[in-house]
Amino acid sequence: MFSYNFKYELKSLLRSKWLILLTIILLTLVLFAGYSGKKKVNKRVFDIEKANNTVKEQDITVLKVLDSIEKGFVINQNLRSLPTNPMNIGYSYPRVAAMYPLETAFISTGQSDLFTHYVQPKAYGDSFFFNHAEFSSPIQLLFGSFDLAFVIIYILPLIIIAFSYHIFSLEKENGSLKLMASQPISIYKWILQKTMLRFFVLSVIVVLVLTIAFIINNYNFVENLAEYLYFLLLTLTYILFWFTVVLLINIKVNNSAKNAVSLLAIWVFIILIIPAIIAQAANTFYPIPSRTKMITDVRALKDDVSKKQDKILDNFLRDHPEYASNKKQNYSFWHKYLASQDLVEDEVKPLIKSYETQLLKQQQWVKLWQYSSPAIILQQSFNDIAGTSTTHYQEYRTQVAKFSAKWRDFFVPLLYNNEKFSTKLYKQLPTFEYKKPKYTSLLFKASIVLIMSMFFLLITRILFYNKSKKGTIIN
Amino acid sequence: MIFHVVKKELQETLRDGRFKISTAIVFVLLTVSLVLTFNQYQYNNAQYIEAQKNERSLWEEQGEKNPHSAAHYGNYVFKPKSPLSLIDQGVEKYTGISIFLEAHNRNEAQFSNASDQTALSRFGELTPSFILLYILPLILILIGYDAYTKELEKGTFAILKSQGISNTKLLFGKWLSVLIPIVTITTLLFLFGGLILSNTSDIGVFNWEALGVLYIVYLIYYLILTNIVLFISLIAKKSGVALVSSLVFWVLACFITPKIASNIADSKYPYPTNQEFSKRVAEDRKKGLDGHNPWSEEAKKLEEEVLRKYNVDSVHKLPFNYSAYRMQKGEEYQAKVYAKHYSWLDEQAQKQEKVYKSTSMISPFLPTRFLSMAISRTDYQSHRDFSEKAETYRVKTQEFLNGLTEKNSRYGERYVASANAWKKLPKFEYKPPPFSQILNSNTPMMLILIVWFAVTGAVLFFINKNH
């Protein structure tokens, strides 16, 4: 009986225009999303490369000058800006601390439009105040990006709803359900098979279309196979979840128009309302301390410290670091600056940390409550796969702060030992490499979505049983 | 006759369980969102006032100091919340709240809310505008999708016609009955919002006029949607099809078009990266006068010029402190460089806006979204206005500080201003542009919205006549 059912449903699916329309819509959406995602990633790489190239060019000139000085040639250059002064290198020739996109970055824009992907920490300046905000049109941020994650999380369920909202009720309304009941197959088995067949067909189309998008984007399947498979697995469990919801509503409501309305309400709740409520709750329970207050606090603190600094640092030099290296005294501006900088940083640390901890707490809250909506689970997982989650950027910020300290610390001994900077030391300059953080197992997340689907399926079975006992399934 | 239609339809809607549940949910959501945004608003406002006060007292109590040291110490200016941000927070989440004003550099606004929140906040927020823009249209679809199809399905269309009602009258009745519930909810929200705002102290420039215009914008939005939903119901044969088609329109208009528009705008007129922008500015700055660098060619040129003008042979003989004069000239040059680059950025933003405007032809959501932000003064334009006024204040502050040294000391002297000098700097008072100016600059969007209404109305009317 299964094969009859399967054959009939497949034939009627293939014959209807729905399937072609569905494929075309999905293909267009996915290809456009994949294309614009890739375009963003390319721009990101291009920007980083450009900065890297500038550094390389500068390096060549500086190395030449250093080489000439070491060989004893006379250099026609302003004495203050000679690269033999280590602090000049530390201030004027910073490295690029870049966060290169992962191969999978095109999947989900995540937080990547908010934050910068490369900074150049200098030996001078507040490393804790490092500005990680990116220049982008706020309207763009408000509307968000059209990426693969959006197509899968928002649009795919709507397609499933539009495709199957009357999968059962239509049979009842057309009167074919009564005929079906006279056949030697249980109605429940039959509708389950019918739904699963649709799930199967849609899954094949989605996997195909997504794979095409990956291939077009030159995805390296050999190296990043796991990410690709996880991405598909999550998408498939999400599709399954929505089909079980559709089935449940079909059995429960069993009226085409009412089905559609109920399904839509569920869509709005799972995708719009629940995430908004959880985000709001995170802000309410773990409010980020006021930045306005922080600004005034930090300034008051700096004011305090600078009063202490006055003993070691004379005002003029603090305002004019560029004069400092000119002074031929034992303790230059840099000596005093670096000393006072540590003082400021130590004092400000707890304040700055309060923001990071609060954000961490918010994230833990979201991590816990993401299981209230498969849409959140998917968004979080996609951001994790794409390397564009809040955690990724927070990790990057931490790594940059560490690198910034390392960069400064590289020059401190040179400065205090009165050592000159040389070509040999140039090779030892610290470099930055971004290491991505670990995240919750994707397999675990996929299985949670699967369990949700199974739960809905179970409820459907119970409902069906109760309804058929009462005899309200067919009539 | 119209009255009977309206009465019957409304009664039907009110008896519908789905309508009851969804209106109840919308009311709960609206109340929650209003309470939340109001709390947030008051919290932010209190902080704004406190921060501004603290900031000013820090500035005034600097003690004896060289004015240029004070210029490097700098000051922060804070953006006040606009009262109507209670209804629509616009892009406020993505623009910073404060700008640091210092010598030589123009800084961007720092610390946007979005960067301090988890990725979840990108899904959307529970604010009145979210409900007005996304959820109420959905309720409207829910009420109106089967306005005509149900008559076909139940076979009541012929009976209805036999009562002697004209197509136009029937349409008008249905039209009103779809609109009335939505308009009631909206009116209540706006009345309530207005009452809250007019009864709260510390309100900036709240006026009922702006709230009224905002109300009208949303009404037009719902009128357009009613036209479209009824149009679909008229040409569809089945309720299910009508519902799905209306929903497709909703998703296209509210979700897909804005995102596609933003993708196109961004790839066509991209913003530079933060680093790239600073690099460009730095390159231009190198070409001109730097107040801290007396050895550059530009500095020498200026020196010669000034000496010639005052007919003296040494800067020591000038009647003012020449180094402060040079500092000010350098400041002016740097301000010009910033003005150039920021106006380029501004052009880029305006080109992007044109993309949004042209996509507004496809989706009535876009003009509504933009008008709503503009009237609430939470759009990008308002932010730019604030940022420009802060820059003007920065330039004036530098002029004031350099002037102190210039007038009160001689070349080569290290001038220390007295402790009470800082109080003389005028306070920064942000005056947002008048409401009429906002209306004027948004007339095109308003026109687009009206055209949307006129066209959908006309199509609906003619289709209905020949039905």
Side-chain angles (χ1 to χ4, degrees):
Chain A
M1 204 57 204
F2 171 72
S3 64
Y4 278 118
N5 189 15
F6 186 84
K7 249 190 206 164
Y8 168 76
E9 289 296 334
L10 194 64
K11 266 189 185 161
S12 61
L13 264 185
L14 289 176
R15 275 178 199 160
S16 78
K17 287 171 200 153
W18 253 115
L19 213 55
I20 302 164
L21 189 69
L22 194 78
T23 317
I24 293 172
I25 293 175
L26 266 177
L27 196 67
T28 325
L29 292 177
V30 164
L31 286 189
F32 180 71
Y35 165 76
S36 46
K38 189 70 183 173
K39 217 170 163 185
K40 277 201 175 126
V41 173
N42 286 345
K43 185 176 180 280
R44 189 168 147 189
V45 175
F46 175 79
D47 286 336
I48 296 175
E49 284 301 322
K50 209 166 143 192
N52 268 335
N53 285 337
T54 319
V55 169
K56 266 184 208 152
E57 279 164 28
Q58 279 181 339
D59 279 8
I60 293 171
T61 1
V62 167
L63 277 172
K64 258 187 206 160
V65 175
L66 279 175
D67 194 51
S68 309
I69 295 174
E70 278 161 25
K71 281 183 181 147
F73 293 117
V74 180
I75 298 297
N76 186 19
Q77 195 175 345
N78 198 330
L79 270 178
R80 329 179 277 134
S81 61
L82 275 187
T84 45
N85 180 343
M87 291 326 281
N88 274 344
I89 300 288
Y91 181 63
S92 305
Y93 298 95
R95 308 287 97 181
V96 177
M99 182 185 180
Y100 274 98
L102 302 183
E103 175 94 35
T104 38
F106 67 93
I107 292 173
S108 173
T109 307
Q111 301 282 75
S112 70
D113 46 1
L114 273 179
F115 300 115
T116 181
H117 293 106
Y118 72 94
V119 284
Q120 295 181 277
K122 293 174 179 179
Y124 174 80
D126 300 336
S127 58
F128 52 83
F129 248 5
F130 234 75
N131 189 6
H132 278 266
E134 188 49 285
F135 244 37
S136 42
S137 146
I139 297 170
Q140 153 103 37
L141 296 176
L142 179 72
F143 287 162
S145 300
F146 192 87
D147 52 8
L148 280 181
F150 169 74
V151 173
I152 291 168
I153 295 169
Y154 285 72
I155 310 289
L156 211 50
L158 283 173
I159 290 178
I160 295 171
I161 292 173
F163 184 42
S164 301
Y165 70 98
H166 50 12
I167 189 165
F168 187 69
S169 54
L170 191 68
E171 304 272 353
K172 184 184 164 192
E173 280 150 22
N174 284 349
S176 45
L177 194 61
K178 278 186 180 165
L179 282 177
M180 213 49 234
S182 67
Q183 299 295 319
I185 182 173
S186 99
I187 294 282
Y188 183 72
K189 236 186 204 169
W190 161 75
I191 187 67
L192 198 66
Q193 283 174 10
K194 189 173 159 155
T195 316
M196 285 310 125
L197 178 79
R198 290 211 180 175
F199 163 69
F200 179 70
V201 170
L202 187 69
S203 298
V204 170
I205 297 174
V206 168
V207 168
L208 222 75
V209 165
L210 285 176
T211 309
I212 293 175
F214 271 65
I215 291 172
I216 289 180
N217 281 345
N218 273 331
Y219 189 76
N220 187 343
F221 287 95
V222 183
E223 261 177 46
N224 300 301
L225 189 67
E227 279 85 356
Y228 165 74
L229 291 179
Y230 276 131
F231 178 64
L232 289 188
L233 179 70
L234 282 159
T235 311
L236 292 186
T237 49
Y238 191 60
I239 297 177
L240 181 70
F241 170 82
W242 281 101
F243 268 110
T244 56
V245 172
V246 165
L247 187 61
L248 174 65
I249 294 300
N250 261 284
I251 300 295
K252 172 90 182 97
V253 181
N254 210 355
N255 167 310
S256 294
K258 283 185 183 170
N259 280 355
V261 173
S262 318
L263 284 169
L264 197 77
I266 293 176
W267 183 90
V268 168
F269 253 84
I270 287 183
I271 289 169
L272 300 178
I273 310 278
I274 294 181
I277 290 174
I278 289 174
Q280 201 80 56
N283 287 341
T284 316
F285 295 142
Y286 306 106
I288 295 286
S290 149
R291 286 286 188 185
T292 336
K293 197 169 168 308
M294 178 195 82
I295 289 168
T296 42
D297 283 0
V298 167
R299 299 202 75 211
L301 210 117
K302 271 190 163 178
D303 220 25
D304 260 13
V305 174
S306 87
K307 269 170 201 152
K308 288 182 216 163
Q309 266 178 39
D310 282 348
K311 293 171 195 157
I312 47 169
L313 199 70
D314 83 76
N315 259 323
F316 184 71
L317 283 178
R318 193 177 58 236
D319 298 338
H320 306 270
E322 65 276 20
Y323 290 159
S325 48
N326 238 2
K327 296 266 168 177
K328 290 267 161 32
Q329 19 171 276
N330 277 342
Y331 285 105
S332 73
F333 157 78
W334 288 109
H335 291 91
K336 294 165 193 168
Y337 171 76
L338 288 175
S340 63
Q341 187 65 10
D342 280 347
L343 205 67
V344 176
E345 258 174 41
D346 281 348
E347 297 255 358
V348 173
K349 220 176 223 166
L351 194 66
I352 301 298
K353 210 160 177 215
S354 67
Y355 288 87
E356 295 284 323
T357 24
Q358 232 26 23
L359 190 59
L360 265 177
K361 276 185 191 160
Q362 282 201 1
Q363 268 167 274
Q364 270 156 7
W365 166 266
V366 171
K367 220 177 233 174
L368 182 67
W369 285 95
Q370 65 176 326
Y371 301 111
S372 59
S373 155
I376 309 178
I377 299 183
L378 248 74
Q379 185 71 66
Q380 298 275 73
S381 311
F382 286 170
N383 285 354
D384 279 342
I385 294 178
T388 53
S389 71
T390 315
T391 318
H392 281 88
Y393 285 94
Q394 209 170 13
E395 186 62 32
Y396 172 63
R397 282 201 292 275
T398 318
Q399 289 180 17
V400 165
K402 271 192 197 137
F403 173 72
S404 175
K406 202 170 145 194
W407 178 254
R408 209 166 36 175
D409 289 346
F410 180 81
F411 296 99
V412 172
L414 299 180
L415 179 75
Y416 279 92
N417 298 335
N418 251 334
E419 259 181 75
K420 278 196 173 169
F421 196 77
S422 62
T423 42
K424 208 179 95 199
L425 282 170
Y426 216 105
K427 283 173 197 129
Q428 294 168 14
L429 280 178
T431 49
F432 178 83
E433 202 186 340
Y434 166 69
K435 285 185 197 71
K436 62 176 183 180
K438 288 202 175 91
Y439 42 78
T440 323
S441 154
L442 294 171
L443 208 58
F444 175 71
K445 288 186 177 176
S447 38
I448 293 286
V449 183
L450 206 63
I451 289 170
M452 287 176 176
S453 319
M454 290 306 133
F455 177 68
F456 279 126
L457 220 53
L458 186 72
I459 296 182
T460 316
R461 180 75 191 103
I462 295 168
L463 260 175
F464 189 88
Y465 182 75
N466 287 344
K467 272 199 164 184
S468 61
K469 270 212 150 170
K470 278 188 216 156
T472 47
I473 282 282
I474 296 169
N475 296 308
Chain B
M1 201 62 188
I2 292 175
F3 172 73
H4 287 292
V5 174
V6 173
K7 194 179 157 198
K8 178 246 166 196
E9 292 284 335
L10 274 183
Q11 250 169 10
E12 219 173 68
T13 309
L14 287 175
R15 279 179 196 156
D16 188 353
R18 287 168 290 163
F19 175 78
K20 275 185 209 158
I21 294 173
S22 42
T23 338
I25 291 172
V26 166
F27 260 112
V28 171
L29 287 179
L30 266 180
T31 319
V32 170
S33 67
L34 211 57
V35 169
L36 279 176
T37 39
F38 182 64
N39 277 344
Q40 215 177 343
Y41 174 81
Q42 276 196 319
Y43 175 72
N44 286 340
N45 220 17
Q47 269 177 354
Y48 161 75
I49 290 164
E50 199 197 306
Q52 211 177 24
K53 209 175 70 203
N54 285 349
E55 169 59 31
R56 183 69 190 181
S57 66
L58 272 181
W59 171 259
E60 284 179 2
E61 284 154 23
Q62 290 184 86
E64 290 184 355
K65 215 183 215 174
N66 171 276
H68 193 63
S69 291
H72 273 280
Y73 182 74
N75 36 23
Y76 276 95
V77 289
F78 299 96
K79 194 161 95 187
K81 275 239 162 213
S82 100
L84 281 184
S85 66
L86 186 70
I87 306 275
D88 190 347
Q89 304 198 330
V91 298
E92 291 226 305
K93 197 164 96 183
Y94 302 103
T95 54
I97 43 156
S98 67
I99 302 183
F100 178 48
L101 310 177
E102 58 172 345
H104 315 306
N105 297 313
R106 173 173 181 174
N107 296 307
E108 269 294 291
Q110 276 180 307
F111 304 120
S112 67
N113 272 338
S115 57
D116 272 341
Q117 287 171 350
T118 63
L120 203 57
S121 70
R122 305 295 292 277
F123 266 100
E125 262 183 320
L126 266 189
T127 58
S129 68
F130 169 73
I131 291 157
L132 286 169
L133 283 163
Y134 296 93
I135 306 296
L136 279 187
L138 206 57
I139 304 281
L140 196 149
I141 291 174
L142 191 79
I143 300 171
Y145 75 94
D146 61 352
Y148 277 94
T149 47
K150 71 181 171 199
E151 309 282 356
L152 281 180
E153 279 163 359
K154 288 178 189 159
T156 44
F157 203 61
I159 302 171
L160 201 62
K161 292 291 278 196
S162 72
Q163 303 291 314
I165 189 169
S166 75
N167 271 354
T168 315
K169 274 187 181 164
L170 181 64
L171 176 69
F172 198 60
K174 298 245 178 207
W175 196 77
L176 277 179
S177 54
V178 173
L179 258 176
I180 286 173
I182 299 296
V183 172
T184 315
I185 296 175
T186 316
T187 313
L188 282 176
L189 169 72
F190 273 85
L191 267 179
F192 198 55
L195 284 177
I196 289 181
L197 285 175
S198 57
N199 284 315
T200 314
S201 51
D202 302 330
I203 287 296
V205 278
F206 171 69
N207 55 355
W208 283 90
E209 191 194 352
L211 190 76
V213 176
L214 192 62
Y215 176 65
I216 290 168
V217 166
Y218 278 107
L219 282 194
I220 300 176
Y221 179 50
Y222 300 137
L223 291 181
I224 296 167
L225 289 170
T226 310
N227 286 347
I228 292 167
V229 169
L230 283 185
F231 168 75
I232 291 173
S233 186
L234 251 178
I235 57 170
K237 295 281 178 292
K238 285 182 188 166
S239 293
V241 177
L243 180 61
V244 170
S245 315
S246 297
L247 289 179
V248 168
F249 177 79
W250 176 71
V251 172
L252 272 177
C254 298
F255 290 95
I256 299 189
T257 320
K259 279 181 193 278
I260 290 184
S262 91
N263 273 16
I264 295 173
D266 192 48
S267 67
K268 243 181 145 179
Y269 307 108
Y271 268 37
T273 62
N274 210 335
Q275 329 286 334
E276 174 73 23
F277 186 76
S278 348
K279 208 176 113 192
R280 281 186 214 168
V281 172
E283 271 165 18
D284 262 4
R285 276 177 57 163
K286 261 186 212 159
K287 288 180 200 151
L289 187 69
D290 174 2
H292 279 305
N293 184 354
W295 305 284
S296 74
E297 262 179 49
E298 291 294 323
K300 283 183 182 133
K301 236 195 258 169
L302 180 79
E303 197 177 311
E304 279 166 24
E305 235 171 69
V306 174
L307 291 179
R308 216 179 306 130
K309 194 177 161 198
Y310 286 89
N311 211 5
V312 286
D313 54 6
S314 151
V315 287
H316 289 275
K317 292 178 185 163
L318 287 170
F320 49 83
N321 188 337
Y322 173 70
S323 56
Y325 176 81
R326 189 182 57 222
M327 195 60 89
Q328 178 55 25
K329 286 288 159 199
E331 203 63 61
E332 280 165 20
Y333 172 73
Q334 282 153 354
K336 235 188 260 166
V337 169
Y338 277 109
K340 176 187 146 192
H341 286 276
Y342 272 90
S343 76
W344 176 81
L345 211 58
D346 216 43
E347 268 170 38
Q348 209 71 352
Q350 266 158 20
K351 279 181 196 159
Q352 287 203 357
E353 250 160 52
K354 262 187 201 153
V355 174
Y356 290 116
K357 258 177 211 163
S358 51
T359 35
S360 296
M361 309 283 176
I362 315 171
S363 158
F365 169 86
L366 280 171
T368 316
R369 171 84 265 194
F370 282 110
L371 280 170
S372 170
M373 287 194 283
I375 296 165
S376 306
R377 296 172 193 273
T378 51
D379 61 342
Y380 193 17
Q381 193 59 48
S382 310
H383 179 70
R384 288 205 300 255
D385 182 71
F386 170 72
S387 147
E388 278 307 318
K389 281 178 182 155
E391 171 67 3
T392 316
Y393 179 70
R394 183 184 80 85
V395 172
K396 276 199 183 136
T397 307
Q398 300 313 316
E399 214 177 298
F400 166 80
L401 292 171
N402 285 325
L404 276 182
T405 315
E406 196 180 315
K407 276 178 235 148
N408 298 320
S409 64
R410 303 298 296 250
Y411 185 74
E413 273 177 23
R414 179 168 168 76
Y415 172 66
V416 175
S418 65
N420 64 3
W422 320 118
K423 277 185 193 148
K424 287 175 195 151
L425 177 75
K427 277 184 194 169
F428 176 72
E429 307 265 0
Y430 175 59
K431 276 201 193 68
F435 186 58
S436 58
Q437 192 184 324
I438 288 177
L439 275 187
N440 277 340
S441 56
N442 283 289
T443 334
M445 280 291 178
M446 205 65 166
L447 279 178
I448 292 175
L449 206 62
I450 290 169
V451 167
W452 258 102
F453 172 64
V455 170
T456 50
V459 169
L460 179 67
F461 184 76
F462 285 112
I463 288 282
N464 178 58
K465 260 203 153 167
N466 306 321
H467 195 60

